[in-house]
Amino acid sequence: MPGEWIPAAGPNFMVGRSGRKISQVVLHTTVGTMPATIATFQNPGRIASAHYVVGLDGRVVNMVRESDTAFHSGNWEENLISIGIEHVDDGDFNGPRTPQLYAASIALVGDLCQRYAIPRDRAHIRKHSEVSDSPTACPDALAVDRIVAGAALFGGGGGELNQEDNDMYFPRDPGSQKIYAVYEQNGHMVKRALTQADWPVYAATGANFHDVTDAGVLAKLLALPDAVAGGAGAAVDLKPVLDAIAAIKPGAVDLAPVLAAVAKVQAKLDKDLA
């Protein structure tokens, strides 16, 4: 199970799931801090818990084993079939959440969906308010659709994509040979044609760069809407390199055309990054 293990008090969860299968994920907001949430679930008099708590800094704490039933949804049947995830809001439940929190939640939800074969959609990734017998507005301003959309693309499945905290993915359009950067804009996943000027910006983040070749994942990413504004510029064009590679005949030892094409691309990058 992912996350740092800090167990909830025994009275706050039930061992096992009465034979029920895990088939849903329920998202909550804490209306409090990470320490306060941990203290609440470790208080044996509260009779409340969640499987995971995700912090504003991306920290993930596991407090109830996935095989056990957390008391989180306000609906006993829902408790038996779901994983409950609390999202820290430091008491500002209608305020913005951090990119680190969303990245960690997307990775966690995607991993759970992969391991338990849970469809990555809003019918199976639910708000607390949608399942409780006595619903409140929980999870309030948490962008649930953003988490679902991110998990559908990155979260522990979908071909070769495995979202980690500092991963970025660059799908290449097989027709135009343009390379796109995929990221979130205003709560939605978008793509943007990658420019030479983008490289030092991305490199400064310490991100792990991944090309995308899985056909299903590639199709999903290329179908995303283009980012608005921001000066997309000219995309990095690898077509000359790819054409030169394709032209190599079996047994050929003359790599000069390929090296020349690579040199041209490198020279353009060097000029733009100078």
Side-chain angles (χ1 to χ4, degrees):
M1 292 181 291
E4 174 186 354
W5 174 244
I6 301 179
N12 293 344
F13 66 93
M14 182 186 79
V15 175
R17 289 182 175 266
S18 297
R20 303 296 295 277
K21 178 183 176 182
I22 296 170
S23 60
Q24 294 197 3
V25 176
V26 177
L27 305 182
H28 306 256
T29 196
T30 60
V31 195
T33 65
M34 174 69 84
T37 302
I38 292 173
T40 294
F41 294 162
Q42 289 189 318
N43 178 354
R46 290 301 297 268
I47 317 300
S49 63
H51 294 88
Y52 291 97
V53 185
V54 179
L56 290 168
D57 59 356
R59 178 188 180 193
V60 176
V61 174
N62 177 202
M63 301 200 68
V64 176
R65 298 188 187 282
E66 294 169 10
S67 56
D68 294 335
T69 303
F71 303 157
H72 66 94
S73 74
N75 178 316
W76 182 245
E77 286 299 315
E78 187 68 31
N79 284 344
L80 291 174
I81 64 170
S82 65
I83 299 283
I85 304 175
E86 289 279 0
H87 295 78
V88 172
D89 54 29
D90 279 358
D92 187 10
F93 53 87
N94 276 324
R97 309 307 196 269
T98 63
Q100 293 90 337
L101 177 141
Y102 281 115
S105 183
I106 286 169
L108 175 59
V109 171
D111 175 66
L112 292 169
C113 288
Q114 181 190 40
R115 289 191 286 112
Y116 293 103
I118 301 171
R120 303 175 198 195
D121 56 37
R122 285 287 283 105
H124 297 85
I125 302 171
R126 312 292 301 280
K127 297 180 180 180
H128 182 200
S129 60
E130 295 170 337
V131 300
S132 177
D133 289 337
S134 302
T136 63
C138 181
D140 296 281
L142 182 73
V144 171
D145 289 341
R146 174 177 176 175
I147 294 171
V148 174
L153 287 173
F154 303 132
E160 59 188 59
L161 292 185
N162 250 325
Q163 175 71 355
E164 297 175 1
D165 286 351
N166 285 322
D167 282 11
M168 294 192 70
Y169 295 95
F170 301 108
R172 181 190 295 112
D173 188 319
S176 68
Q177 296 302 324
K178 289 182 178 179
I179 300 176
Y180 292 89
V182 172
Y183 60 98
E184 294 170 355
Q185 185 177 77
N186 298 325
H188 300 283
M189 301 302 298
V190 296
K191 69 178 188 296
R192 172 189 168 189
L194 187 64
T195 72
Q196 288 85 356
D198 289 324
W199 284 113
V201 176
Y202 291 139
T205 68
N208 301 312
F209 297 162
H210 298 281
D211 196 1
V212 181
T213 56
D214 180 87
V217 174
L218 184 62
K220 282 185 178 181
L221 296 181
L222 292 178
L224 289 170
D226 292 334
V228 297
V236 177
D237 184 10
L238 294 184
K239 192 173 187 304
V241 177
L242 298 176
D243 286 346
I245 292 173
I248 297 175
K249 294 181 173 54
V253 294
D254 184 10
L255 297 181
V258 176
L259 296 176
V262 171
K264 287 181 179 179
V265 173
Q266 186 62 55
K268 183 167 175 44
L269 287 171
D270 290 343
K271 178 181 178 181
D272 290 337
L273 298 179

